[in-house]
Amino acid sequence: MKFTVDKQEKYTLLKLDEDKLDATIAPGLKSEFVNLSTQGVTNIVLDLSATKYCDSSGLSAILTGNRICTENEGKLVLSSLQPMVQKLIELSQLHKILDILPTSNEAIEFITMTEIKKELGAEEGEA
């Protein structure tokens, strides 16, 4: 599986450099989500700009990442979806539970704002 990981303070950008997210790639993606989680990563932006095709195995990997992030009180945000991948997610009704934004920059801003709200909420609770 070809991908790049860019770790930042509040999020990790995982850019999948594969044109297909299918049964051959999905196990590796699930493993990477688990690996990032064990390293303390809670927020992941999954950039799918290079991915033109996704099947049920790919969707399963995405849902695994979403569950792992949610369990760690974080977010998985999908970005830069190609038309066929976007269509599959909508047909599967997963757009109702997944966070999806048009670009990685917008996804990063979304996570940053979510983290700031969390921090502000924690400070209000301490007062």
Side-chain angles (χ1 to χ4, degrees):
M1 180 176 89
K2 294 182 294 215
F3 64 95
T4 55
V5 174
D6 178 17
K7 281 189 177 180
Q8 300 296 321
E9 185 182 344
K10 296 195 183 302
Y11 68 90
T12 295
L13 175 63
L14 177 61
K15 185 175 186 329
L16 188 61
D17 295 319
E18 297 279 354
D19 45 327
K20 291 183 179 178
L21 176 50
D22 56 16
T24 58
I25 303 297
L29 183 58
K30 285 182 184 179
S31 294
E32 188 57 27
F33 286 137
V34 171
N35 181 32
L36 289 170
S37 174
T38 60
Q39 295 174 31
V41 172
T42 57
N43 295 309
I44 300 173
V45 174
L46 180 59
D47 182 329
L48 294 173
S49 56
T51 308
K52 295 174 179 59
Y53 172 81
C54 181
D55 67 5
S56 60
S57 302
L59 290 180
S60 173
I62 290 169
L63 288 171
T64 298
N66 191 57
R67 181 181 48 79
I68 289 169
C69 289
T70 301
E71 286 173 356
N72 293 320
E73 298 180 9
K75 293 256 183 214
L76 172 71
V77 184
L78 306 183
S79 72
S80 310
L81 297 184
Q82 297 301 308
M84 290 296 290
V85 177
Q86 175 86 36
K87 193 171 193 174
L88 177 65
I89 287 172
E90 288 173 2
L91 285 171
S92 307
Q93 299 287 308
L94 294 177
H95 64 289
K96 294 178 180 178
I97 60 167
L98 296 171
D99 291 309
I100 303 168
L101 288 163
T103 67
S104 290
N105 284 340
E106 288 173 275
I108 290 164
E109 286 176 20
F110 174 75
I111 285 176
T112 302
M113 293 306 296
T114 302
E115 285 298 306
I116 289 170
K117 285 178 188 172
K118 237 194 270 184
E119 290 167 12
L120 288 173
E123 287 172 12
E124 287 175 7
E126 293 168 3

